[in-house]
Amino acid sequence: MYAAVTLFVLMCLTATTHADPHHHQPCHSPNMTGFMTVLALKGEVKGYGAFTYDSMGKKLRFRSNESHPTNTSLGLDLLMFFEEGIFYEIDSKNQSCEKKALQCTQHPLDIPDDATFMATVYHGSPSIEGEGLKTSVWTGSTTDSKGHYSMTVTMGCLPVCTFYFHDTSSFFVSLTEVETEIKDPDLLVVPSFCVGQPLEETPEGTVHSFMNEFM
């Protein structure tokens, strides 16, 4: 899997770029189900697993290290409610969870409203039918202003890959086998054993976000 991810990183870096004179506004991703890989740029696979994303409700479930467990991948089960500013770390095996405040709502499944359009990019060949993928590249600063991101999405606003460059660590996130539907809505519902769980206090200086779970 690492070799495949590395190849995908190189594909993102070496794609043909074309200037686009038209003004662009950030789009918003549809509902999605698929697989996500989080790779530290130094080569460590930080997470690989299935995700379910509710675009309208701004909810995300990500379960890593289940389908293809690796020694370096973190075992995470996260249920995030970006609108409410809370998330759950779930342990289904032990029927337990932790409820925490979500200070940063930035994540790799949607283009931030303040993102800047950079270019239109063709992966593969733009002149051979069925052999190219036209995408747009968006950039901006991370919410804490300590880093930057570069997000590549299809013309239908499906995220393909995102780079996060932070002062302490950098990540590459890729999405594969994406379908524009929520296959199992129950994954976005708080498990019964988590209902009524008190909100944990956030230690001073700690910032909880989706990407911070991999740092």
Side-chain angles (χ1 to χ4, degrees):
M1 183 182 69
Y2 172 71
V5 173
T6 302
L7 179 62
F8 194 79
V9 172
L10 293 174
M11 182 186 75
C12 287
L13 290 174
T14 58
T16 303
T17 303
H18 297 269
D20 194 323
H22 300 291
H23 181 68
H24 289 259
Q25 291 292 333
C27 58
H28 292 287
S29 305
N31 293 340
M32 294 184 291
T33 299
F35 291 90
M36 179 187 298
T37 300
V38 181
L39 176 71
L41 294 192
K42 61 183 180 180
E44 184 181 4
V45 178
K46 303 296 289 187
Y48 174 81
F51 74 88
T52 298
Y53 178 59
D54 178 350
S55 176
M56 294 295 293
K58 300 187 183 303
K59 303 175 184 178
L60 168 65
R61 182 73 176 269
F62 175 66
R63 295 172 295 161
S64 73
N65 218 20
E66 290 186 350
S67 301
H68 298 80
T70 67
N71 291 334
T72 58
S73 179
L74 298 173
L76 293 174
D77 187 349
L78 304 173
L79 176 58
M80 296 193 153
F81 297 92
F82 299 108
E83 196 79 11
E84 290 87 347
I86 60 172
F87 74 105
Y88 295 84
E89 290 188 359
I90 301 170
D91 185 345
S92 297
K93 182 179 180 180
N94 295 318
Q95 298 280 286
S96 63
C97 67
E98 298 178 0
K99 182 181 179 181
K100 301 179 179 180
L102 189 62
Q103 286 85 19
C104 174
T105 60
Q106 197 169 46
H107 59 86
L109 296 175
D110 199 27
I111 304 174
D113 289 332
D114 60 354
T116 300
F117 174 78
M118 289 299 293
T120 298
V121 176
Y122 286 96
H123 302 274
S125 173
S127 59
I128 304 175
E129 185 177 356
E131 296 296 330
L133 175 65
K134 184 179 180 181
T135 63
S136 59
V137 178
W138 299 82
T139 63
S141 299
T142 54
T143 304
D144 59 8
S145 300
K146 295 181 180 180
H148 296 81
Y149 65 86
S150 176
M151 179 179 290
T152 300
V153 301
T154 68
M155 305 314 291
C157 210
L158 293 180
V160 178
C161 59
T162 303
F163 290 94
Y164 289 97
F165 303 97
H166 204 267
D167 60 349
T168 56
S169 56
S170 297
F171 295 95
F172 169 78
V173 181
S174 70
L175 305 184
T176 56
E177 299 182 43
V178 176
E179 298 184 45
T180 55
E181 62 176 323
I182 297 175
K183 289 189 173 182
D184 186 356
D186 289 340
L187 290 174
L188 298 173
V189 177
V190 178
S192 58
F193 54 83
C194 293
V195 174
Q197 185 77 9
L199 184 68
E200 294 189 2
E201 290 189 13
T202 303
E204 186 176 352
T206 299
V207 177
H208 290 308
S209 70
F210 180 78
M211 294 310 301
N212 274 78
E213 291 296 305
F214 301 96
M215 292 182 179

